[in-house]
Amino acid sequence: MSPEQSDSYPGGGPVRLLLGNEAIAQGLFEAGCRLAAAYPGTPSTEVLEALPAYGALDLHLEWSVNEKVALETASAASYCGLRTAAVMKQVGLNVAMDPLMSLAYTGVVGGLLLIVADDPGPYSSQTEQDTRFLAMTAKVPVLDPAPPEQAREMVHTGYRISEKYRIPVILRPVLRVCHSRAPISGLRKREKGKDASFVRDVNRWAATPSFRYHLHEELNYKIHSVLKDPDVVSSYTLSDASVSNAPFAIVASGLPAAYAADILSQSGMENEIPLLCVGVPFPLDKGRITSMLDGCGRLLVLEETGALMETLLGGYFDIFGRFDGTVPSAGEMTPDTVARALAKLLPEKGLVEETYTVSQVEEEQDEKAVTVPPTLCPGCSHRASFWALKKAMPGGIYTGDIGCYTLGISLGTVDTVLCMGASISQAAGFFWSQLKKDETPVPIAAVIGDSTFYHSGIPALLNAVQQGAAFVLLILDNGMSAMTGGQPSPASGLLAGGGHGVPVPMEEAIAGCGVKHIKICDPLDSDSMVGVVEDAAQVAGEGEMVVIISRSPCALIHTEQLGPRPVVDHEVCNECRICTDSFGCPALVWEDEGLTITPVLCTGCAACVQSCPIEAIMVREL
Amino acid sequence: MKNPQFSYDIVISGRGGQGVLFLSRIIGEAALFQGLMVRTTETHGMAMRGGSVLCFARIGECMAPLFRPGAGRLLMALHDSEVAGGLRFLGPGSRVLVNTREDPKPDLIHVDADGIAASAGNSRSANLALLGAAVTLEDFPLQEHAVESVIKGTGGDRITEINLKIFRSGLIEIGREK
């Protein structure tokens, strides 16, 4: 890539209504990012997805097989002086923690931005963990944006800090930043980066423990120096309210700062309660905060999701926050939480408003107000796979994994969900737990999706086989990461930036793990699927590992009608409700005339036919 | 307590797959078209799989995409069982638009959005009938021409014509009920 080519990326264009993630992608493009590697995960996925549209030929994009690989790949490009990004959700950082801890020591050359999206709530995650604490553990700066426009600015800030101090920088948007839209001004001209050049420095890039000690000292110096950086200093902003007369001051970072600003101004209190917003919560400049708030001894600390600033400011101020219960210690922070926290400290202000009551309607609605939980989509082949599993291996222990198929819980075929890949290791653990018993062992089946299998199932399978564990592993292969919107799996060979790489077939990976029995079947062909699982259970019972690849495309992405819609024979139907209670396809509903199949929802997969024990649901050939 | 210079806050409730997200997008784009500040939120991932979905749109000056219970001015419920989920965000004097075929209840504005959309030929666009009804509310900040202009930019010619028809039918429907 020659510098001249960069000039073909002019700035300008209209203001666009962008998602926070898209605003971050725009920032990456503008800042001249040359490599972005990600593993999909809500709420981070759209960052990488938004990048191909910019058409930057000098930008390598990839859906890496997992987050650790994404960060490691980005680190080497950064060693070469290029601006790089690794993008993931908060639990993905757990997987990438190994390279991050070490990368903080080696440092970087080209700016390295680690974009980690947190999910307070949680809405689509196993934990509510606060990435800022992991930044503190690794001793790297973390930027905490509030609105999308700030997230885009912080991409630029993050790169400046990363390159100036040669340190990886974390940008930590929370879900409400990633998935909210705001007007974002037109493109800035893409920055020209350096050409890639790797300068050998063995004592840094391949440092042995004695050099690691020196790198640790260097890291301590860097993280201390960052506090004096003009970008970091200017990230501390104090509102106009007088500090000395205030009953307390608010110190806030991220979205809670925006909630506080809205509430103070809407309640006409912006001149009464000082609000100090912190853009870089780690490293935190306690000296700057104490001097900015000189004369005010009491603080309300508002931050998401843990108590990072509250911990760091303890001893300097009397603090209202999570530790004294002013702010709840779990769940998403919302304007309501902030208003309630303020109301506890300012009871006379009437900050928690009465909400609307619509005569008697509300009462009536309250009875109806059962929040509907998510379910597998109509026509989802996972439902058919789970049904076959339940039929062929009743009474088994079913270890589950992370993906849409976690929703198999409602079919009674998911007993455990721990983290990515754990279905396989936990199945092995259950297998070894049963060896000591004299009773007949309970059959064990692990269920994992294709992307999750590639992500971290492969080492688990290799380990289980090598140790001699035996169970049925059912891989639900729809060819993509379906929950996050259909990113291609390695089996497809499709690349994030478009074009084709080299497909890595799942069967070959499984065989490479030492598995002798591999079956491939179509879950929508229910009779043969049940037979395959029964045979597999028998082989596993004899002490051999069996892998079944249950292969069928995602119904959400492939929306074409699969066949004629089944019909219900109301003469035969005895309303046992197994089809709706146990099978549970959303297309099956009870109307006044009995069971009906909703035309707009039914995909014609006909998997429901097998769910009826008395053949009241059938497909009539046209 | 409510200051008119602050944002007009909207709650949109429905089920995954009903176009809650699309509706918040149209509202956002129409506000942008009128040169107004706007912030919206979306729901992705696990929660979108047929479950209850709440989205928020704020038109006017604000810092955050969420607002507190009692601040909302309008609830647009795409499913009649999802009214209660959004009600707590509304304050006194606010309006509730519900997509339902049932007989009107006091204080709720009923719109047979599903019926309008189906008879126009695109049952996926019931959300636009509800938006048509919203535009007729006296304090709703979006103008008919802005919404129409955004709808015109969203699809092919045939779908756009149908969607415009659905949106305009919403306008007429509510005009009749007033």
Side-chain angles (χ1 to χ4, degrees):
Chain A
M1 177 72 202
S2 67
E4 288 77 27
Q5 273 176 286
S6 298
D7 291 339
S8 64
Y9 302 119
V15 174
R16 295 186 296 161
L17 189 69
L18 296 186
L19 278 179
N21 281 343
E22 294 166 348
I24 289 170
Q26 180 168 325
L28 289 174
F29 172 79
E30 293 166 339
C33 174
R34 297 278 296 277
L35 182 149
Y39 185 79
T42 309
S44 71
T45 312
E46 298 79 11
V47 175
L48 200 77
E49 285 187 322
L51 280 166
Y54 292 98
L57 298 175
D58 57 348
L59 169 58
H60 172 76
L61 296 174
E62 73 170 55
W63 290 119
S64 301
V65 73
N66 65 34
E67 296 85 353
K68 171 175 149 69
V69 170
L71 180 54
E72 290 160 353
T73 305
S75 72
S78 163
Y79 287 0
C80 294
L82 304 184
R83 285 192 165 180
T84 68
V87 189
M88 58 199 65
K89 67 183 293 179
Q90 91 285 29
V91 289
L93 181 57
N94 300 340
V95 178
M97 212 47 200
D98 202 6
L100 176 61
M101 292 299 294
S102 185
L103 189 62
Y105 280 46
T106 64
V108 300
V109 181
L112 187 143
L113 201 58
L114 179 53
I115 299 163
V116 186
D118 280 3
D119 182 13
Y123 287 84
S124 212
S125 305
Q126 311 88 291
T127 73
E128 289 194 283
Q129 67 193 62
D130 183 342
T131 291
R132 303 173 310 154
F133 278 104
L134 300 188
M136 185 169 73
T137 302
K139 297 189 178 177
V140 299
V142 58
L143 312 183
D144 194 1
E149 56 271 29
Q150 191 185 19
R152 175 235 206 152
E153 287 308 323
M154 281 186 168
V155 170
H156 294 276
T157 312
Y159 275 130
R160 281 198 296 272
I161 295 172
S162 179
E163 282 174 357
K164 191 166 166 189
Y165 303 93
R166 300 201 156 194
I167 192 169
V169 170
I170 296 180
L171 176 68
R172 191 290 300 249
V174 297
L175 177 137
R176 292 288 175 191
V177 179
C178 299
H179 291 167
S180 67
R181 285 184 188 271
I184 302 293
S185 59
L187 271 184
R188 284 174 218 155
K189 194 174 168 191
R190 181 163 161 88
E191 288 182 44
K192 284 179 202 169
K194 295 176 218 144
D195 286 333
S197 134
F198 176 60
V199 180
R200 263 197 188 77
D201 181 356
V202 174
N203 295 339
R204 176 173 300 280
W205 307 132
T208 51
S210 57
F211 285 101
R212 287 275 165 175
Y213 169 79
H214 295 297
L215 291 177
H216 191 185
E217 283 195 317
E218 182 186 89
L219 175 60
N220 289 337
Y221 177 74
K222 286 177 182 175
I223 198 72
H224 185 72
S225 308
V226 165
L227 287 176
K228 307 285 176 271
D229 184 87
D231 278 321
V232 174
V233 170
S234 65
S235 94
Y236 291 75
T237 58
L238 183 60
S239 66
D240 293 335
S242 157
V243 171
S244 49
N245 299 324
F248 62 91
I250 299 172
V251 171
S253 104
L255 268 185
Y259 298 149
D262 277 349
I263 290 171
L264 290 180
S265 69
Q266 292 195 355
S267 315
M269 292 179 1
E270 67 266 53
N271 293 319
E272 291 174 39
I273 307 294
L275 172 62
L276 199 169
C277 298
V278 178
V280 186
F282 184 84
L284 188 67
D285 197 337
K286 293 162 285 253
R288 185 168 307 282
I289 292 175
T290 47
S291 73
M292 286 175 92
L293 297 179
D294 189 27
C296 180
R298 308 202 315 163
L299 291 189
L300 170 63
V301 179
L302 300 172
E303 56 187 329
E304 214 159 22
T305 312
L308 175 72
M309 296 196 298
E310 189 177 345
T311 303
L312 296 172
L313 290 170
Y316 294 81
F317 296 91
D318 286 336
I319 297 179
F320 302 105
R322 299 193 192 270
F323 294 143
D324 73 344
T326 307
V327 179
S329 288
E332 183 185 23
M333 176 99 60
T334 64
D336 193 28
T337 356
V338 173
R340 283 173 194 280
L342 282 167
K344 281 182 197 167
L345 306 181
L346 301 163
E348 73 284 1
K349 295 283 185 187
L351 281 163
V352 179
E353 289 185 40
E354 287 306 308
T355 53
Y356 189 41
T357 43
V358 189
S359 58
Q360 74 275 57
V361 176
E362 186 165 34
E363 226 168 81
E364 193 179 311
Q365 282 288 338
D366 269 344
E367 287 164 24
K368 281 203 211 171
V370 184
T371 304
V372 181
T375 52
L376 291 168
C377 300
C380 175
S381 66
H382 295 345
R383 185 180 287 106
S385 294
F386 283 126
W387 189 261
L389 179 63
K390 201 155 108 175
K391 212 165 169 182
M393 292 179 70
I397 295 174
Y398 313 109
T399 56
D401 224 298
I402 308 288
C404 293
Y405 48 90
T406 304
L407 298 170
I409 290 168
S410 61
L411 282 101
T413 41
V414 174
D415 293 324
T416 63
V417 177
L418 187 66
C419 62
M420 297 285 281
S423 59
I424 300 175
S425 340
Q426 288 198 314
F430 281 116
F431 175 82
W432 296 116
S433 307
Q434 296 198 82
L435 274 191
K436 307 248 182 230
K437 290 188 191 163
D438 296 331
E439 316 144 17
T440 321
V442 173
I444 299 163
V447 183
I448 191 170
D450 51 339
S451 295
T452 309
F453 175 71
Y454 284 106
H455 177 284
S456 46
I458 290 175
L461 180 59
L462 189 151
N463 184 69
V465 171
Q466 188 265 327
Q467 294 294 323
F471 50 86
V472 176
L473 169 58
L474 184 59
I475 304 182
L476 305 181
D477 181 13
N478 56 16
M480 60 179 64
S481 303
M483 180 64 91
T484 48
Q487 295 72 31
S489 86
S492 72
L494 295 173
L495 301 177
H500 293 262
V502 180
V504 181
M506 183 182 290
E507 300 86 306
E508 291 177 23
I510 296 165
C513 291
V515 176
K516 302 280 185 292
H517 307 277
I518 305 171
K519 299 279 179 218
I520 301 171
C521 61
D522 176 1
L524 297 180
D525 179 359
S526 62
D527 290 342
S528 93
M529 175 83 189
V530 171
V532 166
V533 182
E534 280 170 349
D535 292 347
Q538 187 164 356
V539 174
E542 289 159 8
E544 301 250 0
M545 180 72 78
V546 191
V547 178
I548 302 169
I549 302 172
S550 178
R551 188 166 283 161
S552 185
C554 172
L556 196 63
I557 312 290
H558 296 271
T559 50
E560 65 270 26
Q561 193 74 12
L562 298 172
R565 193 169 77 241
V567 291
V568 182
D569 188 336
H570 292 120
E571 300 289 309
V572 178
C573 176
N574 63 1
E575 306 200 354
C576 71
R577 294 186 180 243
I578 288 175
C579 58
T580 47
D581 292 354
S582 301
F583 187 70
C585 177
L588 303 174
V589 287
W590 291 95
E591 303 279 2
D592 293 339
E593 66 269 29
L595 180 70
T596 54
I597 297 175
T598 313
V600 289
L601 293 179
C602 179
T603 65
C605 78
C608 54
V609 170
Q610 47 159 331
S611 76
C612 180
I614 54 171
E615 298 180 3
I617 307 175
M618 68 199 83
V619 177
R620 282 213 187 99
E621 296 305 326
L622 295 175
Chain B
M1 187 93 165
K2 214 143 276 132
N3 186 327
Q5 80 185 51
F6 296 118
S7 53
Y8 182 92
D9 296 340
I10 306 167
V11 198
I12 308 165
S13 67
R15 299 261 165 95
Q18 275 198 306
V20 174
L21 213 135
F22 181 74
L23 180 55
S24 74
R25 184 81 194 271
I26 298 282
I27 290 173
E29 295 284 356
L32 196 63
F33 182 88
Q34 286 179 223
L36 299 169
M37 178 60 198
V38 63
R39 297 189 185 279
T40 65
T41 64
E42 299 184 358
T43 305
H44 296 220
M46 177 76 91
M48 280 303 280
R49 299 289 177 266
S52 302
V53 176
L54 272 185
C55 282
F56 302 89
R58 312 188 74 185
I59 302 170
E61 287 311 312
C62 57
M63 289 294 292
L66 293 180
F67 48 88
R68 56 188 158 135
R73 306 272 288 277
L74 172 66
L75 166 62
M76 301 172 78
L78 289 173
H79 194 291
D80 58 5
S81 296
E82 300 291 342
V83 173
L87 272 185
R88 66 189 193 91
F89 290 95
L90 299 188
S94 41
R95 310 300 294 267
V96 182
L97 288 170
V98 194
N99 170 20
T100 182
R101 258 164 227 195
E102 284 176 29
D103 294 334
K105 292 198 183 71
D107 300 341
L108 302 187
I109 304 170
H110 285 204
V111 182
D112 180 14
D114 281 332
I116 292 171
S119 66
N122 186 8
S123 47
R124 289 173 180 273
S125 293
N127 44 17
L128 293 178
L130 218 56
L131 183 55
V135 167
T136 65
L137 300 174
E138 59 284 351
D139 56 350
F140 191 71
L142 298 182
Q143 292 156 5
E144 193 178 330
H145 75 96
V147 177
E148 291 196 353
S149 153
V150 172
I151 292 173
K152 282 174 189 161
T154 54
D157 285 349
R158 204 183 67 82
I159 286 288
T160 298
E161 267 317 302
I162 294 172
N163 284 347
L164 282 173
K165 192 175 160 194
I166 295 170
F167 170 67
R168 289 171 188 148
S169 303
L171 289 165
I172 293 160
E173 166 105 351
I174 201 69
R176 183 168 51 78
E177 290 211 354
K178 256 184 187 172

mmCIF file of all heavy atoms in Angstrom, chain B residues 50-67:
data_model
loop_
_atom_site.group_PDB
_atom_site.id
_atom_site.type_symbol
_atom_site.label_atom_id
_atom_site.label_comp_id
_atom_site.label_asym_id
_atom_site.label_seq_id
_atom_site.Cartn_x
_atom_site.Cartn_y
_atom_site.Cartn_z
ATOM 1 N N GLY B 50 -37.692 -13.745 19.399
ATOM 2 C CA GLY B 50 -39.117 -13.868 19.672
ATOM 3 C C GLY B 50 -39.548 -13.358 21.030
ATOM 4 O O GLY B 50 -40.722 -13.407 21.363
ATOM 5 N N GLY B 51 -38.617 -12.864 21.843
ATOM 6 C CA GLY B 51 -38.955 -12.407 23.185
ATOM 7 C C GLY B 51 -39.464 -10.971 23.196
ATOM 8 O O GLY B 51 -39.546 -10.310 22.156
ATOM 9 N N SER B 52 -39.839 -10.481 24.390
ATOM 10 C CA SER B 52 -40.289 -9.109 24.546
ATOM 11 C C SER B 52 -39.141 -8.152 24.261
ATOM 12 O O SER B 52 -38.023 -8.366 24.726
ATOM 13 C CB SER B 52 -40.764 -8.866 25.986
ATOM 14 O OG SER B 52 -41.798 -9.760 26.301
ATOM 15 N N VAL B 53 -39.426 -7.113 23.498
ATOM 16 C CA VAL B 53 -38.381 -6.155 23.142
ATOM 17 C C VAL B 53 -38.855 -4.740 23.463
ATOM 18 O O VAL B 53 -39.993 -4.379 23.159
ATOM 19 C CB VAL B 53 -38.047 -6.241 21.627
ATOM 20 C CG1 VAL B 53 -37.028 -5.189 21.246
ATOM 21 C CG2 VAL B 53 -37.531 -7.616 21.258
ATOM 22 N N LEU B 54 -38.001 -3.959 24.115
ATOM 23 C CA LEU B 54 -38.271 -2.545 24.384
ATOM 24 C C LEU B 54 -37.205 -1.712 23.691
ATOM 25 O O LEU B 54 -36.021 -1.997 23.835
ATOM 26 C CB LEU B 54 -38.168 -2.257 25.882
ATOM 27 C CG LEU B 54 -39.375 -2.416 26.796
ATOM 28 C CD1 LEU B 54 -38.995 -1.937 28.198
ATOM 29 C CD2 LEU B 54 -40.585 -1.649 26.297
ATOM 30 N N CYS B 55 -37.628 -0.712 22.938
ATOM 31 C CA CYS B 55 -36.677 0.235 22.362
ATOM 32 C C CYS B 55 -37.068 1.633 22.803
ATOM 33 O O CYS B 55 -38.223 1.885 23.165
ATOM 34 C CB CYS B 55 -36.694 0.185 20.837
ATOM 35 S SG CYS B 55 -35.808 -1.214 20.171
ATOM 36 N N PHE B 56 -36.107 2.522 22.771
ATOM 37 C CA PHE B 56 -36.357 3.898 23.195
ATOM 38 C C PHE B 56 -35.884 4.854 22.112
ATOM 39 O O PHE B 56 -34.889 4.585 21.442
ATOM 40 C CB PHE B 56 -35.616 4.199 24.500
ATOM 41 C CG PHE B 56 -35.993 3.266 25.619
ATOM 42 C CD1 PHE B 56 -35.322 2.080 25.817
ATOM 43 C CD2 PHE B 56 -37.057 3.572 26.447
ATOM 44 C CE1 PHE B 56 -35.683 1.199 26.824
ATOM 45 C CE2 PHE B 56 -37.440 2.707 27.464
ATOM 46 C CZ PHE B 56 -36.750 1.516 27.657
ATOM 47 N N ALA B 57 -36.609 5.954 21.943
ATOM 48 C CA ALA B 57 -36.174 6.996 21.022
ATOM 49 C C ALA B 57 -36.378 8.331 21.721
ATOM 50 O O ALA B 57 -37.427 8.554 22.342
ATOM 51 C CB ALA B 57 -36.983 6.942 19.724
ATOM 52 N N ARG B 58 -35.372 9.155 21.666
ATOM 53 C CA ARG B 58 -35.462 10.483 22.294
ATOM 54 C C ARG B 58 -35.194 11.526 21.214
ATOM 55 O O ARG B 58 -34.130 11.538 20.596
ATOM 56 C CB ARG B 58 -34.426 10.626 23.411
ATOM 57 C CG ARG B 58 -34.385 9.460 24.378
ATOM 58 C CD ARG B 58 -33.475 9.753 25.554
ATOM 59 N NE ARG B 58 -34.102 10.697 26.471
ATOM 60 C CZ ARG B 58 -33.484 11.199 27.547
ATOM 61 N NH1 ARG B 58 -32.227 10.895 27.804
ATOM 62 N NH2 ARG B 58 -34.125 12.034 28.335
ATOM 63 N N ILE B 59 -36.157 12.404 21.002
ATOM 64 C CA ILE B 59 -36.012 13.431 19.977
ATOM 65 C C ILE B 59 -35.848 14.768 20.682
ATOM 66 O O ILE B 59 -36.740 15.194 21.422
ATOM 67 C CB ILE B 59 -37.235 13.460 19.036
ATOM 68 C CG1 ILE B 59 -37.417 12.074 18.393
ATOM 69 C CG2 ILE B 59 -37.085 14.532 17.980
ATOM 70 C CD1 ILE B 59 -38.714 11.905 17.627
ATOM 71 N N GLY B 60 -34.690 15.394 20.470
ATOM 72 C CA GLY B 60 -34.393 16.652 21.145
ATOM 73 C C GLY B 60 -33.137 16.504 21.983
ATOM 74 O O GLY B 60 -32.506 15.452 21.992
ATOM 75 N N GLU B 61 -32.803 17.575 22.706
ATOM 76 C CA GLU B 61 -31.518 17.592 23.415
ATOM 77 C C GLU B 61 -31.486 16.612 24.585
ATOM 78 O O GLU B 61 -32.353 16.630 25.464
ATOM 79 C CB GLU B 61 -31.199 19.007 23.910
ATOM 80 C CG GLU B 61 -30.787 19.958 22.789
ATOM 81 C CD GLU B 61 -29.717 19.389 21.865
ATOM 82 O OE1 GLU B 61 -28.707 18.853 22.370
ATOM 83 O OE2 GLU B 61 -29.885 19.462 20.629
ATOM 84 N N CYS B 62 -30.487 15.741 24.604
ATOM 85 C CA CYS B 62 -30.259 14.801 25.695
ATOM 86 C C CYS B 62 -28.868 14.217 25.519
ATOM 87 O O CYS B 62 -28.285 14.295 24.445
ATOM 88 C CB CYS B 62 -31.314 13.691 25.682
ATOM 89 S SG CYS B 62 -31.369 12.775 24.133
ATOM 90 N N MET B 63 -28.339 13.625 26.584
ATOM 91 C CA MET B 63 -27.002 13.024 26.529
ATOM 92 C C MET B 63 -27.063 11.507 26.391
ATOM 93 O O MET B 63 -26.164 10.888 25.856
ATOM 94 C CB MET B 63 -26.222 13.349 27.820
ATOM 95 C CG MET B 63 -25.782 14.789 27.955
ATOM 96 S SD MET B 63 -24.554 15.214 26.700
ATOM 97 C CE MET B 63 -23.169 14.199 27.255
ATOM 98 N N ALA B 64 -28.093 10.891 26.971
ATOM 99 C CA ALA B 64 -28.143 9.431 27.070
ATOM 100 C C ALA B 64 -29.293 8.881 26.241
ATOM 101 O O ALA B 64 -30.287 9.568 26.011
ATOM 102 C CB ALA B 64 -28.306 9.026 28.533
ATOM 103 N N PRO B 65 -29.175 7.616 25.806
ATOM 104 C CA PRO B 65 -30.236 7.034 24.994
ATOM 105 C C PRO B 65 -31.423 6.528 25.818
ATOM 106 O O PRO B 65 -32.469 6.239 25.269
ATOM 107 C CB PRO B 65 -29.540 5.865 24.292
ATOM 108 C CG PRO B 65 -28.451 5.456 25.226
ATOM 109 C CD PRO B 65 -28.017 6.706 25.930
ATOM 110 N N LEU B 66 -31.240 6.375 27.131
ATOM 111 C CA LEU B 66 -32.327 5.916 28.000
ATOM 112 C C LEU B 66 -32.867 7.095 28.796
ATOM 113 O O LEU B 66 -32.155 8.053 29.057
ATOM 114 C CB LEU B 66 -31.818 4.857 28.982
ATOM 115 C CG LEU B 66 -31.368 3.519 28.425
ATOM 116 C CD1 LEU B 66 -30.908 2.610 29.559
ATOM 117 C CD2 LEU B 66 -32.471 2.855 27.628
ATOM 118 N N PHE B 67 -34.137 6.992 29.209
ATOM 119 C CA PHE B 67 -34.691 8.006 30.106
ATOM 120 C C PHE B 67 -35.346 7.293 31.271
ATOM 121 O O PHE B 67 -35.548 6.083 31.246
ATOM 122 C CB PHE B 67 -35.671 8.923 29.368
ATOM 123 C CG PHE B 67 -36.691 8.184 28.541
ATOM 124 C CD1 PHE B 67 -37.888 7.766 29.098
ATOM 125 C CD2 PHE B 67 -36.453 7.909 27.200
ATOM 126 C CE1 PHE B 67 -38.830 7.090 28.336
ATOM 127 C CE2 PHE B 67 -37.399 7.228 26.431
ATOM 128 C CZ PHE B 67 -38.585 6.812 27.003
#
